[in-house]
Amino acid sequence: MEKSLNLITSQKNVMVVDDDKLAQLFIKNFMEELGWKVVVAKSGFEAVDLFNGKMSVITMDYNMPEMNGVEATLAIRKKEKIFKNKNPAFIIGITAHDDKETIEACLAAGMDKVFTKPVNPKALEEYLNN
């Protein structure tokens, strides 16, 4: 059964996961302008630690030291099973890598969508509103 993005985004809780401060600020400010409540995680480890099952959307950077976006996504999906979460988070991967292998690895880990950097804000907004 495919997740409904409209149902998920009605809660307007997002975690922005990125080790780059400029990227964090860009996505955080953009999401706040759209009316989202934002939590920022500076690493994959911090994202997994902060995840409490109540985030409706997570923007997940792919390339982070120590725990990359794929590893963090796998850990978050595991935590969702522990929480018995009926509405899993919608995880949007963000990567500078546009090769097929990276995109497939992100999707296989449990990301629902992948955008390549630089992220077009209009495309992200349209995606969240569909």
Side-chain angles (χ1 to χ4, degrees):
M1 182 174 157
E2 191 171 314
K3 293 188 273 188
S4 167
L5 186 56
N6 287 333
L7 174 66
I8 292 169
T9 58
S10 67
Q11 298 169 28
K12 298 275 190 181
N13 295 313
V14 63
M15 182 188 306
V16 174
V17 185
D18 205 308
D19 61 319
D20 180 87
K21 289 184 188 217
L22 195 56
Q24 288 171 12
L25 190 60
F26 169 76
I27 297 171
K28 176 184 181 291
N29 289 343
F30 175 74
M31 296 301 284
E32 286 177 341
E33 286 176 19
L34 296 177
W36 289 74
K37 295 176 209 141
V38 180
V39 172
V40 175
K42 299 171 190 92
S43 70
F45 283 119
E46 187 175 8
V48 173
D49 188 48
L50 289 173
F51 183 75
N52 59 10
K54 296 179 183 167
M55 291 295 147
S56 47
V57 172
I58 298 171
T59 63
M60 180 71 71
D61 183 31
Y62 171 77
N63 193 22
M64 295 181 287
E66 298 173 9
M67 178 183 270
N68 68 31
V70 166
E71 295 163 329
T73 297
L74 288 167
I76 286 170
R77 293 299 188 212
K78 191 178 281 189
K79 279 184 87 169
E80 285 177 326
K81 288 179 183 172
I82 293 167
F83 294 150
K84 297 182 171 118
N85 198 333
K86 291 184 173 133
N87 291 315
F90 201 87
I91 301 178
I92 300 172
I94 299 177
T95 179
H97 305 282
D98 62 356
D99 59 281
K100 183 179 176 183
E101 293 80 19
T102 299
I103 305 295
E104 287 177 354
C106 290
L107 296 172
M111 293 182 192
D112 298 286
K113 175 73 176 167
V114 180
F115 282 94
T116 55
K117 290 180 180 179
V119 176
N120 178 330
K122 284 286 183 205
L124 181 56
E125 181 177 7
E126 285 176 20
Y127 186 72
L128 290 170
N129 289 329
N130 284 330

